[in-house]
Coordinates of all heavy atoms in Angstrom, one line a residue:
E1 N 13.0 -5.8 33.4 CA 11.6 -5.5 33.8 C 11.3 -4.0 33.8 O 10.2 -3.5 33.6 CB 11.2 -6.1 35.1 CG 11.0 -7.6 35.0 CD 10.5 -8.2 36.3 OE1 9.8 -7.5 37.0 OE2 10.9 -9.4 36.5
T2 N 12.4 -3.2 34.2 CA 12.2 -1.8 34.2 C 11.9 -1.2 32.8 O 11.0 -0.4 32.7 CB 13.5 -1.1 34.8 OG1 13.8 -1.6 36.0 CG2 13.4 0.4 34.8
C3 N 12.6 -1.7 31.8 CA 12.3 -1.3 30.5 C 10.8 -1.6 30.1 O 10.2 -0.7 29.5 CB 13.2 -2.0 29.5 SG 14.9 -1.3 29.4
L4 N 10.4 -2.7 30.4 CA 9.0 -3.1 30.1 C 8.0 -2.3 30.8 O 6.9 -2.0 30.3 CB 8.8 -4.6 30.4 CG 9.6 -5.6 29.5 CD1 9.3 -7.0 29.9 CD2 9.4 -5.4 28.1
S5 N 8.3 -1.9 32.1 CA 7.3 -1.0 32.8 C 7.3 0.4 32.2 O 6.2 1.0 32.1 CB 7.6 -1.0 34.3 OG 8.9 -0.4 34.5
V6 N 8.4 0.9 31.7 CA 8.4 2.2 31.1 C 7.7 2.1 29.8 O 6.9 3.0 29.5 CB 9.9 2.7 30.8 CG1 9.9 3.9 30.0 CG2 10.6 3.0 32.2
L7 N 7.9 1.0 29.0 CA 7.2 0.9 27.7 C 5.7 0.8 28.0 O 4.9 1.4 27.2 CB 7.6 -0.4 27.0 CG 9.0 -0.3 26.4 CD1 9.5 -1.6 25.8 CD2 9.0 0.8 25.2
K8 N 5.3 0.1 29.0 CA 3.8 0.0 29.4 C 3.3 1.4 29.7 O 2.2 1.8 29.2 CB 3.6 -0.9 30.6 CG 2.2 -1.1 31.0 CD 2.0 -2.1 32.1 CE 0.6 -2.3 32.4 NZ 0.4 -3.3 33.5
K9 N 4.0 2.2 30.4 CA 3.5 3.6 30.7 C 3.4 4.4 29.4 O 2.6 5.4 29.3 CB 4.5 4.3 31.7 CG 4.3 3.7 33.1 CD 5.3 4.4 34.1 CE 5.1 3.7 35.4 NZ 6.0 4.3 36.4
L10 N 4.3 4.1 28.4 CA 4.2 4.8 27.1 C 3.2 4.2 26.2 O 3.0 4.7 25.1 CB 5.6 4.7 26.4 CG 6.7 5.6 27.1 CD1 8.1 5.2 26.4 CD2 6.4 7.1 26.9
G11 N 2.5 3.2 26.7 CA 1.4 2.6 25.9 C 1.9 1.5 24.9 O 1.2 1.2 23.9
E12 N 3.0 1.0 25.2 CA 3.6 0.0 24.3 C 3.9 -1.3 25.2 O 5.1 -1.6 25.4 CB 4.9 0.5 23.7 CG 5.4 -0.2 22.4 CD 4.4 -0.1 21.3 OE1 3.8 1.0 21.0 OE2 4.2 -1.1 20.6
E13 N 2.9 -1.9 25.6 CA 3.0 -3.0 26.5 C 3.6 -4.3 25.8 O 3.1 -4.7 24.7 CB 1.7 -3.4 27.2 CG 1.8 -4.4 28.3 CD 0.6 -4.4 29.1 OE1 -0.4 -3.7 28.9 OE2 0.6 -5.3 30.1
I14 N 4.6 -4.9 26.4 CA 5.1 -6.1 25.9 C 5.2 -7.1 27.1 O 5.7 -6.7 28.2 CB 6.6 -6.0 25.4 CG1 6.5 -5.0 24.2 CG2 7.2 -7.3 24.9 CD1 7.9 -4.6 23.6
A15 N 4.6 -8.2 27.0 CA 4.6 -9.2 28.1 C 6.0 -9.6 28.5 O 6.8 -9.9 27.6 CB 3.8 -10.4 27.7
P16 N 6.3 -9.6 29.8 CA 7.6 -10.0 30.3 C 8.0 -11.5 29.9 O 9.2 -11.8 29.8 CB 7.6 -9.8 31.8 CG 6.2 -9.7 32.1 CD 5.4 -9.3 30.9
N17 N 7.0 -12.3 29.7 CA 7.2 -13.7 29.3 C 6.9 -13.9 27.8 O 6.5 -15.0 27.4 CB 6.4 -14.6 30.2 CG 4.9 -14.3 30.0 OD1 4.5 -13.3 29.5 ND2 4.1 -15.2 30.6
A18 N 7.1 -12.9 27.0 CA 6.9 -13.0 25.5 C 7.6 -14.2 25.0 O 8.8 -14.4 25.3 CB 7.2 -11.7 24.8
D19 N 7.0 -15.0 24.2 CA 7.6 -16.1 23.6 C 7.6 -16.1 22.1 O 7.2 -15.1 21.5 CB 6.9 -17.4 24.1 CG 5.4 -17.4 23.7 OD1 4.9 -16.5 23.0 OD2 4.7 -18.3 24.2
I20 N 8.0 -17.1 21.5 CA 8.2 -17.2 20.0 C 6.8 -17.0 19.3 O 6.7 -16.4 18.3 CB 8.9 -18.5 19.5 CG1 9.3 -18.4 18.1 CG2 8.0 -19.7 19.8 CD1 10.5 -17.5 17.9
K21 N 5.7 -17.5 20.0 CA 4.4 -17.3 19.4 C 4.0 -15.8 19.4 O 3.5 -15.3 18.4 CB 3.4 -18.0 20.3 CG 2.0 -18.1 19.8 CD 1.1 -18.9 20.6 CE -0.3 -18.9 20.1 NZ -1.2 -19.7 20.9
S22 N 4.4 -15.0 20.4 CA 4.2 -13.6 20.4 C 5.0 -12.9 19.3 O 4.5 -12.0 18.6 CB 4.6 -13.0 21.8 OG 3.9 -13.6 22.8
L23 N 6.2 -13.4 19.2 CA 7.1 -12.8 18.1 C 6.5 -13.1 16.7 O 6.5 -12.2 15.9 CB 8.5 -13.4 18.2 CG 9.4 -13.1 17.1 CD1 9.6 -11.6 16.8 CD2 10.8 -13.7 17.3
L24 N 6.1 -14.3 16.5 CA 5.5 -14.6 15.2 C 4.3 -13.7 14.9 O 4.1 -13.3 13.7 CB 5.2 -16.1 15.1 CG 6.4 -17.0 15.1 CD1 5.9 -18.5 15.2 CD2 7.2 -16.8 13.9
A25 N 3.4 -13.5 15.9 CA 2.3 -12.6 15.7 C 2.7 -11.2 15.3 O 2.1 -10.6 14.4 CB 1.4 -12.6 16.9
E26 N 3.7 -10.7 16.0 CA 4.2 -9.3 15.7 C 4.8 -9.3 14.3 O 4.5 -8.3 13.5 CB 5.3 -8.9 16.7 CG 4.8 -8.7 18.1 CD 4.1 -7.4 18.4 OE1 4.3 -6.5 17.5 OE2 3.5 -7.3 19.4
A27 N 5.6 -10.3 14.0 CA 6.3 -10.3 12.7 C 5.3 -10.4 11.6 O 5.4 -9.8 10.5 CB 7.3 -11.4 12.6
S28 N 4.2 -11.2 11.8 CA 3.2 -11.4 10.8 C 2.5 -10.1 10.5 O 2.2 -9.7 9.3 CB 2.2 -12.4 11.2 OG 1.1 -12.6 10.3
C29 N 2.2 -9.3 11.5 CA 1.5 -8.0 11.4 C 2.4 -7.1 10.6 O 2.0 -6.4 9.7 CB 1.3 -7.5 12.8 SG 0.5 -5.9 12.8
V30 N 3.7 -7.0 10.9 CA 4.6 -6.1 10.2 C 4.8 -6.6 8.7 O 4.7 -5.7 7.8 CB 6.0 -6.1 10.9 CG1 7.0 -5.4 10.0 CG2 5.9 -5.5 12.3
K31 N 4.9 -7.9 8.5 CA 5.0 -8.4 7.2 C 3.8 -8.0 6.3 O 3.9 -7.5 5.2 CB 5.1 -9.9 7.2 CG 5.4 -10.5 5.9 CD 5.6 -12.0 6.0 CE 5.9 -12.7 4.7 NZ 6.1 -14.1 4.8
Q32 N 2.6 -8.0 6.9 CA 1.4 -7.6 6.2 C 1.4 -6.1 5.9 O 1.0 -5.7 4.8 CB 0.2 -8.0 7.0 CG -1.1 -7.8 6.3 CD -1.3 -8.7 5.1 OE1 -0.9 -9.8 5.0 NE2 -1.9 -8.1 4.0
M33 N 1.8 -5.4 6.8 CA 1.9 -3.9 6.6 C 2.9 -3.6 5.5 O 2.6 -2.7 4.7 CB 2.3 -3.2 7.9 CG 1.3 -3.2 9.0 SD 1.9 -2.6 10.6 CE 1.7 -0.8 10.2
I34 N 4.0 -4.2 5.5 CA 5.0 -4.0 4.5 C 4.6 -4.5 3.1 O 4.8 -3.8 2.1 CB 6.4 -4.6 4.9 CG1 7.0 -3.8 6.1 CG2 7.4 -4.6 3.7 CD1 8.2 -4.3 6.7
R35 N 3.9 -5.6 3.1 CA 3.4 -6.2 1.9 C 2.4 -5.3 1.2 O 2.4 -5.2 -0.1 CB 2.7 -7.5 2.2 CG 2.2 -8.2 0.9 CD 1.6 -9.6 1.2 NE 2.6 -10.5 1.6 CZ 2.5 -11.4 2.5 NH1 1.3 -11.6 3.1 NH2 3.4 -12.3 2.8
N36 N 1.7 -4.5 2.0 CA 0.7 -3.6 1.4 C 1.3 -2.2 1.0 O 0.5 -1.3 0.7 CB -0.4 -3.4 2.4 CG -1.2 -4.7 2.6 OD1 -1.3 -5.5 1.7 ND2 -1.9 -4.8 3.7
S37 N 2.6 -2.1 1.2 CA 3.3 -0.8 0.9 C 4.4 -1.0 -0.1 O 5.2 -1.9 0.0 CB 3.8 -0.2 2.2 OG 2.8 0.0 3.1
S38 N 4.5 0.0 -1.0 CA 5.7 -0.1 -1.9 C 6.8 0.7 -1.3 O 6.6 1.4 -0.3 CB 5.3 0.6 -3.3 OG 5.1 2.0 -3.1
I39 N 8.0 0.6 -1.8 CA 9.1 1.4 -1.3 C 8.8 2.9 -1.4 O 9.1 3.7 -0.5 CB 10.4 1.1 -2.0 CG1 10.8 -0.4 -1.7 CG2 11.5 2.0 -1.7 CD1 12.0 -0.9 -2.4
D40 N 8.2 3.3 -2.5 CA 7.8 4.7 -2.7 C 6.8 5.1 -1.6 O 6.9 6.3 -1.0 CB 7.2 5.0 -4.0 CG 8.3 4.9 -5.1 OD1 9.5 5.2 -4.8 OD2 7.9 4.6 -6.3
D41 N 5.8 4.2 -1.3 CA 4.9 4.6 -0.2 C 5.6 4.8 1.1 O 5.3 5.7 1.9 CB 3.9 3.4 0.0 CG 2.9 3.2 -1.1 OD1 2.7 4.2 -1.9 OD2 2.4 2.1 -1.3
M42 N 6.6 4.0 1.4 CA 7.3 4.1 2.7 C 8.2 5.4 2.7 O 8.3 6.1 3.7 CB 8.2 2.9 2.9 CG 7.4 1.7 3.3 SD 8.4 0.3 3.8 CE 7.9 -0.9 2.7
L43 N 8.8 5.7 1.5 CA 9.6 6.9 1.4 C 8.7 8.2 1.6 O 9.2 9.2 2.0 CB 10.4 6.9 0.1 CG 11.5 5.9 0.0 CD1 12.1 5.9 -1.4 CD2 12.6 6.2 1.1
D44 N 7.5 8.1 1.2 CA 6.5 9.2 1.3 C 5.8 9.3 2.6 O 5.0 10.2 2.8 CB 5.5 9.1 0.1 CG 6.1 9.4 -1.2 OD1 7.1 10.0 -1.3 OD2 5.5 8.9 -2.2
L45 N 6.2 8.5 3.5 CA 5.5 8.6 4.9 C 5.9 9.9 5.5 O 7.0 10.5 5.3 CB 6.0 7.5 5.8 CG 5.5 6.1 5.5 CD1 6.2 5.0 6.3 CD2 4.0 6.0 5.8
P46 N 4.9 10.5 6.2 CA 5.2 11.8 6.8 C 6.3 11.7 7.9 O 6.6 10.6 8.4 CB 3.9 12.2 7.4 CG 3.2 10.9 7.7 CD 3.6 10.0 6.6
K47 N 6.8 12.8 8.3 CA 7.7 12.8 9.4 C 7.0 12.6 10.7 O 5.9 13.2 10.9 CB 8.5 14.2 9.4 CG 9.5 14.3 10.5 CD 10.2 15.6 10.4 CE 11.2 15.7 11.6 NZ 11.9 17.0 11.6
L48 N 7.5 11.8 11.6 CA 6.9 11.6 12.9 C 7.0 12.9 13.7 O 8.1 13.4 14.0 CB 7.6 10.5 13.7 CG 7.0 10.1 15.0 CD1 5.5 9.6 14.9 CD2 7.8 9.0 15.6
K49 N 5.8 13.5 14.1 CA 5.8 14.8 14.9 C 5.3 14.7 16.3 O 5.5 15.5 17.1 CB 5.1 15.8 14.1 CG 5.7 16.1 12.7 CD 4.9 17.2 12.0 CE 5.6 17.5 10.6 NZ 4.8 18.4 9.8
D50 N 4.5 13.6 16.5 CA 3.8 13.5 17.8 C 4.9 13.2 18.9 O 5.6 12.2 18.8 CB 2.8 12.3 17.7 CG 2.1 12.0 19.0 OD1 2.7 12.0 20.1 OD2 0.8 11.9 18.9
S51 N 5.0 14.1 19.9 CA 6.0 14.0 20.9 C 5.9 12.7 21.7 O 6.9 12.1 22.1 CB 6.0 15.2 21.8 OG 4.8 15.3 22.5
H52 N 4.7 12.2 21.9 CA 4.5 11.0 22.7 C 5.1 9.8 21.9 O 5.7 8.9 22.4 CB 3.0 10.8 23.0 CG 2.8 9.5 23.8 ND1 3.1 9.5 25.2 CD2 2.3 8.3 23.5 CE1 2.8 8.3 25.6 NE2 2.3 7.6 24.6
K53 N 4.8 9.8 20.6 CA 5.3 8.7 19.7 C 6.8 8.8 19.6 O 7.5 7.8 19.5 CB 4.6 8.8 18.3 CG 3.1 8.7 18.3 CD 2.6 7.3 18.4 CE 1.1 7.2 18.2 NZ 0.2 7.5 19.3
I54 N 7.3 10.0 19.5 CA 8.8 10.2 19.5 C 9.4 9.6 20.7 O 10.4 8.9 20.7 CB 9.2 11.6 19.2 CG1 8.8 12.1 17.8 CG2 10.7 11.9 19.4 CD1 8.9 13.6 17.5
A55 N 8.8 9.9 21.9 CA 9.3 9.3 23.1 C 9.3 7.8 23.1 O 10.2 7.1 23.6 CB 8.5 9.9 24.3
K56 N 8.2 7.3 22.5 CA 8.0 5.9 22.5 C 9.1 5.2 21.6 O 9.7 4.3 22.0 CB 6.6 5.5 21.9 CG 6.2 4.1 22.1 CD 4.8 3.9 21.4 CE 3.7 4.5 22.2 NZ 2.4 4.0 21.8
I57 N 9.3 5.7 20.4 CA 10.3 5.1 19.5 C 11.7 5.3 20.0 O 12.6 4.4 19.9 CB 10.1 5.6 18.0 CG1 10.9 4.6 17.1 CG2 10.6 7.0 17.8 CD1 10.5 4.7 15.6
S58 N 11.9 6.4 20.7 CA 13.2 6.7 21.3 C 13.5 5.7 22.4 O 14.6 5.1 22.5 CB 13.3 8.1 21.9 OG 13.2 9.0 20.8
F59 N 12.5 5.4 23.3 CA 12.7 4.5 24.3 C 12.8 3.0 23.8 O 13.6 2.3 24.3 CB 11.6 4.6 25.4 CG 12.1 3.8 26.6 CD1 12.9 4.4 27.5 CD2 11.6 2.5 26.9 CE1 13.4 3.7 28.7 CE2 12.0 1.8 28.0 CZ 12.9 2.4 28.9
L60 N 12.0 2.7 22.8 CA 12.2 1.4 22.2 C 13.6 1.2 21.6 O 14.2 0.1 21.8 CB 11.2 1.2 21.0 CG 9.7 1.0 21.4 CD1 8.8 1.2 20.3 CD2 9.6 -0.4 22.0
S61 N 14.2 2.3 21.1 CA 15.5 2.2 20.6 C 16.5 1.9 21.7 O 17.5 1.2 21.6 CB 15.9 3.5 19.9 OG 17.2 3.5 19.4
T62 N 16.3 2.5 22.9 CA 17.1 2.3 24.0 C 16.9 0.9 24.5 O 17.9 0.1 24.9 CB 16.8 3.3 25.2 OG1 17.1 4.6 24.6 CG2 17.6 3.0 26.4
A63 N 15.7 0.4 24.6 CA 15.4 -0.9 25.1 C 16.0 -2.0 24.2 O 16.3 -3.1 24.7 CB 13.9 -1.1 25.2
I64 N 16.1 -1.7 22.9 CA 16.6 -2.7 22.0 C 18.1 -3.1 22.4 O 18.5 -4.2 22.3 CB 16.5 -2.3 20.6 CG1 16.4 -3.5 19.7 CG2 17.6 -1.4 20.1 CD1 15.9 -3.2 18.3
R65 N 18.8 -2.1 22.8 CA 20.2 -2.3 23.2 C 20.3 -3.2 24.4 O 21.1 -4.1 24.5 CB 20.9 -1.0 23.5 CG 21.1 -0.2 22.3 CD 21.6 1.2 22.6 NE 21.8 2.0 21.4 CZ 20.8 2.7 20.8 NH1 19.6 2.6 21.3 NH2 21.1 3.5 19.8
C66 N 19.4 -3.0 25.4 CA 19.4 -3.9 26.6 C 18.9 -5.3 26.3 O 19.4 -6.3 26.8 CB 18.4 -3.3 27.6 SG 18.8 -1.6 28.1
S67 N 18.0 -5.4 25.4 CA 17.3 -6.7 25.1 C 18.2 -7.6 24.2 O 18.0 -8.9 24.3 CB 16.0 -6.6 24.5 OG 16.1 -6.0 23.2
F68 N 19.1 -7.1 23.5 CA 19.9 -7.9 22.5 C 20.6 -9.1 23.2 O 20.5 -10.2 22.8 CB 20.9 -7.0 21.8 CG 21.8 -7.8 20.8 CD1 21.2 -8.3 19.6 CD2 23.1 -8.1 21.1 CE1 22.0 -9.0 18.7 CE2 23.8 -8.9 20.2 CZ 23.3 -9.3 19.0
E69 N 21.2 -8.8 24.3 CA 22.0 -9.9 25.0 C 21.1 -10.6 26.0 O 21.4 -11.8 26.3 CB 23.2 -9.3 25.7 CG 24.3 -8.8 24.7 CD 25.5 -8.4 25.4 OE1 25.8 -8.9 26.6 OE2 26.3 -7.6 24.9
M70 N 20.0 -10.0 26.5 CA 19.2 -10.6 27.5 C 18.2 -11.5 27.0 O 17.9 -12.6 27.6 CB 18.6 -9.6 28.4 CG 19.6 -8.8 29.2 SD 19.0 -7.4 30.1 CE 17.6 -8.1 30.9
N71 N 17.5 -11.2 25.9 CA 16.3 -11.9 25.4 C 16.1 -11.6 23.9 O 15.6 -10.6 23.5 CB 15.1 -11.5 26.2 CG 13.9 -12.2 25.9 OD1 13.7 -12.7 24.8 ND2 13.0 -12.3 26.9
Q72 N 16.5 -12.6 23.1 CA 16.5 -12.4 21.6 C 15.0 -12.3 21.1 O 14.8 -11.6 20.2 CB 17.2 -13.6 20.9 CG 18.7 -13.6 21.1 CD 19.4 -12.4 20.4 OE1 19.3 -12.3 19.2 NE2 20.0 -11.6 21.2
V73 N 14.1 -12.9 21.8 CA 12.7 -12.8 21.4 C 12.2 -11.4 21.6 O 11.6 -10.8 20.8 CB 11.8 -13.9 22.1 CG1 10.3 -13.6 21.9 CG2 12.1 -15.3 21.6
L74 N 12.5 -10.9 22.8 CA 12.1 -9.5 23.1 C 12.8 -8.5 22.2 O 12.2 -7.6 21.7 CB 12.5 -9.2 24.6 CG 12.2 -7.8 25.1 CD1 10.7 -7.6 25.0 CD2 12.7 -7.6 26.5
F75 N 14.1 -8.8 21.8 CA 14.8 -7.9 20.9 C 14.0 -7.9 19.6 O 13.8 -6.8 19.0 CB 16.2 -8.6 20.7 CG 17.0 -7.9 19.6 CD1 17.6 -6.7 19.8 CD2 17.2 -8.6 18.4 CE1 18.4 -6.1 18.9 CE2 18.0 -8.0 17.4 CZ 18.6 -6.8 17.7
A76 N 13.6 -9.0 19.0 CA 12.9 -9.0 17.8 C 11.5 -8.4 17.9 O 11.1 -7.7 16.9 CB 12.8 -10.5 17.3
I77 N 10.8 -8.6 19.0 CA 9.5 -7.9 19.2 C 9.7 -6.4 19.2 O 8.9 -5.7 18.5 CB 8.8 -8.4 20.4 CG1 8.4 -9.9 20.3 CG2 7.7 -7.5 20.8 CD1 7.9 -10.6 21.5
I78 N 10.7 -5.9 19.8 CA 10.9 -4.5 19.9 C 11.2 -3.9 18.5 O 10.7 -2.9 18.1 CB 12.1 -4.1 20.9 CG1 11.6 -4.4 22.3 CG2 12.5 -2.7 20.7 CD1 12.7 -4.3 23.3
I79 N 12.0 -4.6 17.7 CA 12.2 -4.2 16.3 C 10.9 -4.1 15.6 O 10.6 -3.1 14.9 CB 13.2 -5.2 15.6 CG1 14.6 -5.1 16.2 CG2 13.2 -4.9 14.1 CD1 15.5 -6.2 15.7
C80 N 10.1 -5.1 15.7 CA 8.7 -5.1 15.0 C 7.9 -3.9 15.5 O 7.3 -3.3 14.6 CB 8.0 -6.4 15.3 SG 8.7 -7.9 14.5
R81 N 7.9 -3.6 16.8 CA 7.1 -2.5 17.3 C 7.6 -1.2 16.7 O 6.9 -0.3 16.4 CB 7.2 -2.5 18.8 CG 6.5 -3.6 19.5 CD 5.0 -3.6 19.4 NE 4.4 -4.7 20.1 CZ 4.0 -4.7 21.3 NH1 4.1 -3.7 22.1 NH2 3.4 -5.8 21.8
M82 N 9.0 -1.1 16.6 CA 9.5 0.2 16.0 C 9.1 0.3 14.5 O 8.8 1.4 14.1 CB 11.1 0.2 16.2 CG 11.5 0.3 17.6 SD 13.3 0.0 17.8 CE 14.0 1.4 16.9
V83 N 9.2 -0.8 13.8 CA 8.8 -0.7 12.4 C 7.3 -0.4 12.3 O 6.9 0.5 11.5 CB 9.1 -2.0 11.7 CG1 8.5 -2.1 10.3 CG2 10.6 -2.2 11.6
K84 N 6.4 -1.0 13.1 CA 5.0 -0.7 13.1 C 4.7 0.7 13.4 O 3.9 1.4 12.7 CB 4.2 -1.6 14.0 CG 4.0 -3.0 13.5 CD 3.3 -4.0 14.4 CE 2.6 -3.5 15.6 NZ 2.0 -4.6 16.4
L85 N 5.4 1.2 14.4 CA 5.2 2.6 14.8 C 5.6 3.6 13.7 O 4.8 4.5 13.4 CB 6.1 2.9 16.0 CG 5.9 4.3 16.7 CD1 4.5 4.4 17.3 CD2 7.0 4.4 17.8
S86 N 6.6 3.3 13.0 CA 7.1 4.1 11.9 C 6.1 4.1 10.7 O 5.7 5.1 10.1 CB 8.5 3.7 11.4 OG 9.4 3.8 12.4
L87 N 5.6 2.9 10.4 CA 4.7 2.7 9.3 C 3.3 3.4 9.6 O 2.6 3.9 8.7 CB 4.5 1.2 8.9 CG 5.7 0.5 8.3 CD1 5.4 -1.0 8.2 CD2 6.0 1.1 6.9
Q88 N 2.9 3.3 10.8 CA 1.6 3.8 11.2 C 1.6 5.3 11.5 O 0.5 6.0 11.2 CB 1.1 3.1 12.5 CG 0.7 1.6 12.3 CD 0.4 0.9 13.6 OE1 0.9 1.3 14.6 NE2 -0.4 -0.1 13.4
H89 N 2.7 5.9 12.0 CA 2.6 7.2 12.4 C 3.7 8.2 11.8 O 3.6 9.4 12.1 CB 2.8 7.3 14.0 CG 1.7 6.5 14.7 ND1 0.4 6.9 14.8 CD2 1.8 5.3 15.3 CE1 -0.3 6.0 15.4 NE2 0.5 5.0 15.7
G90 N 4.6 7.6 11.0 CA 5.5 8.5 10.4 C 7.0 8.1 10.7 O 7.3 7.4 11.6
L91 N 7.9 8.7 9.9 CA 9.3 8.4 10.0 C 10.0 9.3 11.0 O 9.7 10.5 11.1 CB 9.9 8.5 8.6 CG 9.4 7.5 7.6 CD1 10.0 7.8 6.2 CD2 9.5 6.1 8.0
H92 N 11.0 8.7 11.7 CA 11.9 9.4 12.6 C 13.3 9.0 12.2 O 13.4 7.9 11.6 CB 11.5 9.1 14.0 CG 12.2 9.9 15.0 ND1 13.5 9.5 15.5 CD2 11.9 11.0 15.7 CE1 13.9 10.4 16.4 NE2 13.0 11.3 16.5
S93 N 14.3 9.7 12.6 CA 15.6 9.2 12.3 C 15.9 7.8 12.8 O 16.6 7.0 12.2 CB 16.7 10.2 12.9 OG 16.5 10.3 14.3
I94 N 15.3 7.5 13.9 CA 15.4 6.1 14.5 C 14.8 5.1 13.6 O 15.1 3.9 13.6 CB 14.8 6.1 15.9 CG1 15.6 7.0 16.8 CG2 14.7 4.7 16.5 CD1 15.0 7.2 18.2
S95 N 13.8 5.5 12.8 CA 13.1 4.5 11.9 C 14.1 3.8 11.0 O 13.9 2.6 10.7 CB 12.1 5.2 11.0 OG 11.1 5.9 11.8
A96 N 15.2 4.4 10.5 CA 16.2 3.8 9.7 C 16.8 2.6 10.4 O 17.0 1.6 9.8 CB 17.2 4.8 9.3
D97 N 17.1 2.8 11.7 CA 17.6 1.6 12.5 C 16.6 0.5 12.5 O 17.0 -0.7 12.3 CB 18.0 2.1 13.9 CG 19.1 3.1 13.9 OD1 19.9 3.1 13.0 OD2 19.2 3.8 14.9
A98 N 15.4 0.9 12.8 CA 14.3 -0.2 12.9 C 14.2 -1.0 11.6 O 14.2 -2.2 11.6 CB 13.0 0.5 13.2
F99 N 14.1 -0.3 10.4 CA 14.0 -1.0 9.2 C 15.2 -1.8 8.8 O 15.1 -2.9 8.3 CB 13.7 0.0 8.0 CG 12.3 0.6 8.0 CD1 12.1 1.9 8.3 CD2 11.2 -0.2 7.8 CE1 10.8 2.5 8.3 CE2 9.9 0.3 7.9 CZ 9.7 1.6 8.1
S100 N 16.4 -1.3 9.1 CA 17.6 -2.1 8.8 C 17.7 -3.3 9.7 O 18.1 -4.4 9.3 CB 18.9 -1.2 8.9 OG 19.1 -0.8 10.2
L101 N 17.3 -3.2 11.0 CA 17.3 -4.3 11.9 C 16.3 -5.3 11.5 O 16.5 -6.5 11.6 CB 17.2 -3.9 13.3 CG 18.4 -3.2 14.0 CD1 18.0 -2.5 15.3 CD2 19.5 -4.2 14.2
Y102 N 15.1 -4.8 11.1 CA 14.1 -5.7 10.6 C 14.5 -6.5 9.4 O 14.3 -7.7 9.3 CB 12.8 -5.0 10.3 CG 11.7 -5.8 9.8 CD1 10.9 -6.6 10.6 CD2 11.4 -5.9 8.4 CE1 9.9 -7.4 10.2 CE2 10.4 -6.7 7.9 CZ 9.6 -7.5 8.8 OH 8.6 -8.3 8.4
G103 N 15.2 -5.9 8.5 CA 15.7 -6.5 7.3 C 16.8 -7.5 7.5 O 17.0 -8.4 6.7
A104 N 17.5 -7.3 8.6 CA 18.7 -8.2 8.9 C 18.1 -9.5 9.5 O 18.2 -10.5 9.4 CB 19.6 -7.6 10.0

């Protein structure tokens, strides 16, 4: 719950009772975003420079480690959020982890 309250303060709210329906909605959104982008489009994304967004993706990366064993649905939702953040606002070194986890 502490992770979720920090994420909420960062503007990345995830319901503590997120279920498979929530995950499917997140995954569908990411799938649509990726479907509309070529690999070249993704490689040409700008570098993420916004310090607030960097804090957000950094904390999501930390939260993913905690959620893996505790809640697989939350784990997958966090991956989707990291991918969306990267596609919408630019690439960060953490984006590579997000895309590889999404692909797995």
Side-chain angles (χ1 to χ4, degrees):
E1 286 187 32
T2 302
C3 282
L4 295 180
S5 64
V6 171
L7 287 171
K8 183 177 181 178
K9 288 179 183 179
L10 289 170
E12 200 64 43
E13 189 167 357
I14 300 174
N17 58 348
D19 57 9
I20 194 72
K21 187 176 179 181
S22 303
L23 170 57
L24 292 174
E26 292 282 344
S28 176
C29 180
V30 172
K31 185 176 180 179
Q32 187 64 37
M33 291 173 78
I34 289 174
R35 180 178 291 143
N36 293 333
S37 303
S38 70
I39 292 175
D40 288 334
D41 290 339
M42 288 189 237
L43 291 173
D44 289 337
L45 287 169
K47 182 178 179 181
L48 182 60
K49 294 180 182 175
D50 181 311
S51 59
H52 183 75
K53 303 275 190 280
I54 291 170
K56 192 182 291 192
I57 198 166
S58 295
F59 193 80
L60 284 165
S61 178
T62 300
I64 205 164
R65 290 172 182 82
C66 301
S67 66
F68 179 74
E69 289 187 27
M70 294 173 49
N71 184 331
Q72 293 291 299
V73 170
L74 182 60
F75 174 76
I77 289 172
I78 292 171
I79 292 168
C80 289
R81 295 285 179 96
M82 291 171 68
V83 170
K84 283 180 13 182
L85 187 65
S86 298
L87 291 172
Q88 291 173 332
H89 302 287
L91 300 175
H92 187 274
S93 59
I94 295 170
S95 300
D97 294 337
F99 286 114
S100 64
L101 288 167
Y102 179 79

